[in-house]
């Protein structure tokens, strides 16, 4: 666990007169948490990536703190929080503001993890790390991108994105590894395909009245690439891609969340007042398999 705990040290009385003045933290903004249904009314399907929206509780200690168009998830813990994704550099400002609107402070974020290493999801990592002092935990492939600020040549979208602000990575996360707060243990499932370093996350979160739910933050897994990239010309990568889809299909998944909310109809589902149900991990994986098959058929036809 990467959470930080404050240490209390008793000072001799003779040093009290030399102590620095008491520091009072800046006040938090007025709370602005909304219900899922209210959030759904503020946002639109396929909304702008940087369109600000207030945070809402998903379940237990899990909160949505992203924008209308790009998800960011906070899993809160008594001595440190986990943040999944930051959005773009501009979107990260909304994420940090939303953390404060929930009554938390950025420096209580202990660990930052990712879905996949494209700028629309990790472009704000440097900003959030600077504001929080948190550790960044990333897959080995994603770590190279975060440290350099540029995609590797093995990424299907290589050459499509502007560079990001480089940021130090503190911990490498492998398949099956976990990061924890006192309230939840997030387990990493490597799901390369949309990018080489993509990770999907699974955890259980509980609350008194609604009980425990298994939450999955499933990576995008959509076959998007530059115009001259062919998945069929990269058999090893394609095989890993299909394994990722198959692995996601088998995950226990009461609540499905995705980096792009519209990939899993999150706005429509949120409008009902709950994200439980509406789309399962199996249905999501089936849709991604269908999209990949369509792309391969287009490549075979010369498209």
């Amino acid at each position: 666990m990467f959470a930080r705990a404050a240490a209390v040290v008793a000072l001799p009385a003779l040093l009290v007169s030399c102590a620095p003045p008491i520091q009072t933290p800046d006040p938090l903004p007025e709370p602005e948490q909304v219900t899922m249904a209210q959030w759904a009314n503020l946002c639109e399907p396929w909304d702008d990536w940087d369109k600000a929206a207030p945070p809402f509780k998903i379940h237990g200690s899990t909160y949505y703190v992203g924008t209308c168009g790009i998800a960011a998830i906070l899993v809160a813990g008594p001595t440190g929080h986990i943040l999944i994704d930051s959005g773009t550099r501009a979107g990260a400002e909304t994420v940090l503001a939303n953390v404060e609107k929930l009554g938390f402070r950025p420096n209580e974020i202990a660990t930052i993890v990712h879905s996949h290493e494209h700028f629309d999801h990790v472009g704000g990592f440097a900003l959030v790390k600077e504001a929080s002092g948190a550790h960044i935990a990333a897959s080995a492939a994603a770590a190279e991108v975060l440290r350099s600020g540029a995609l590797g040549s093995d990424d299907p979208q290589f050459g499509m994105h502007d560079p990001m602000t480089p940021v130090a990575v503190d911990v490498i996360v492998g398949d099956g590894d976990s990061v924890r707060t006192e309230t939840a243990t997030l387990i990493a499932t490597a799901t390369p395909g949309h990018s080489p370093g993509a990770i999907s996350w699974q955890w259980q979160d509980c609350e008194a009245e609604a009980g425990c739910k298994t939450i999955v933050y499933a990576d995008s897994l959509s076959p998007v690439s530059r115009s001259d990239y062919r998945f069929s010309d990269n058999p090893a990568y394609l095989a890993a891609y299909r394994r990722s889809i198959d692995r996601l299909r088998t995950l226990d998944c009461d609540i499905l969340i995705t980096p792009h909310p519209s990939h899993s109809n999150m706005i429509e589902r949120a409008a009902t007042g709950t994200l439980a149900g509406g789309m399962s991990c199996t249905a999501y994986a089936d849709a991604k398999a269908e999209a990949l098959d369509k792309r391969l058929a287009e490549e075979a036809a010369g498209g």
Side-chain angles (χ1 to χ4, degrees):
M1 185 180 80
F2 307 122
R4 299 184 293 274
V8 179
V9 180
L11 293 175
L14 60 87
L15 295 181
V16 171
S17 62
C18 301
I22 294 173
Q23 300 294 313
T24 302
D26 292 336
L28 291 168
E30 288 296 318
E32 199 182 338
Q33 182 181 168
V34 299
T35 66
M36 286 187 198
Q38 289 171 326
W39 176 82
N41 286 332
L42 293 169
C43 300
E44 299 177 358
W46 304 105
D47 217 332
D48 185 88
W49 287 350
D50 295 335
K51 180 179 172 181
F56 65 88
K57 184 168 82 167
I58 295 172
H59 187 80
S61 59
T62 300
Y63 298 88
Y64 187 98
V65 293
T67 64
C68 280
I70 297 289
I73 307 300
L74 187 79
V75 183
T79 60
H81 317 311
I82 299 170
L83 178 68
I84 314 176
D85 285 346
S86 68
T88 66
R89 169 61 177 75
E93 295 180 3
T94 293
V95 170
L96 289 170
N98 280 344
V99 169
E100 292 189 329
K101 289 172 183 176
L102 290 171
F104 306 125
R105 298 187 187 279
N107 65 3
E108 295 170 350
I109 301 171
T111 307
I112 308 167
V113 298
H114 63 81
S115 55
H116 65 268
E117 63 272 28
H118 293 162
F119 79 99
D120 44 335
H121 306 285
V122 301
F125 267 34
L127 176 66
V128 177
K129 184 178 177 71
E130 180 181 7
S132 65
H135 287 86
I136 290 180
S139 67
E144 294 184 15
V145 174
L146 291 168
R147 288 166 176 158
S148 68
L151 297 185
S153 59
D154 57 342
D155 193 302
Q157 296 187 36
F158 173 69
M160 293 176 61
H161 303 168
D162 291 334
M164 299 177 287
T165 302
V167 64
V169 173
D170 304 284
V171 179
I172 298 299
V173 176
D175 183 59
D177 287 345
S178 62
V179 295
R180 295 181 295 173
T181 71
E182 291 85 352
T183 57
T185 298
L186 281 63
I187 302 171
T189 297
T191 47
H194 186 71
S195 78
I199 295 176
S200 296
W201 296 93
Q202 181 190 45
W203 66 100
Q204 188 178 80
D205 208 339
C206 301
E207 55 185 47
E209 293 185 2
C212 297
K213 302 289 185 184
T214 300
I215 301 172
V216 172
Y217 189 65
D219 190 53
S220 297
L221 284 170
S222 50
V224 180
S225 73
R226 62 184 185 272
S227 60
D228 63 345
Y229 183 90
R230 291 169 55 88
F231 288 94
S232 52
D233 289 342
N234 297 272
Y237 192 88
L238 179 58
Y241 197 158
R242 288 202 181 279
R243 284 194 298 272
S244 296
I245 294 172
D246 289 341
R247 296 186 74 191
L248 183 60
R249 185 180 285 114
T250 65
L251 290 182
D252 184 17
C253 181
D254 296 321
I255 297 176
L256 172 66
I257 317 168
T258 49
H260 290 273
S262 290
H263 281 201
S264 57
N265 302 325
M266 280 180 59
I267 293 176
E268 295 87 344
R269 291 159 57 212
T272 69
T274 180
L275 290 177
M279 179 175 280
S280 66
C281 282
T282 298
Y284 181 73
D286 288 345
K288 297 306 178 182
E290 182 179 350
L292 180 57
D293 288 341
K294 180 180 178 181
R295 171 62 186 267
L296 293 172
E298 291 171 351
E299 292 180 3

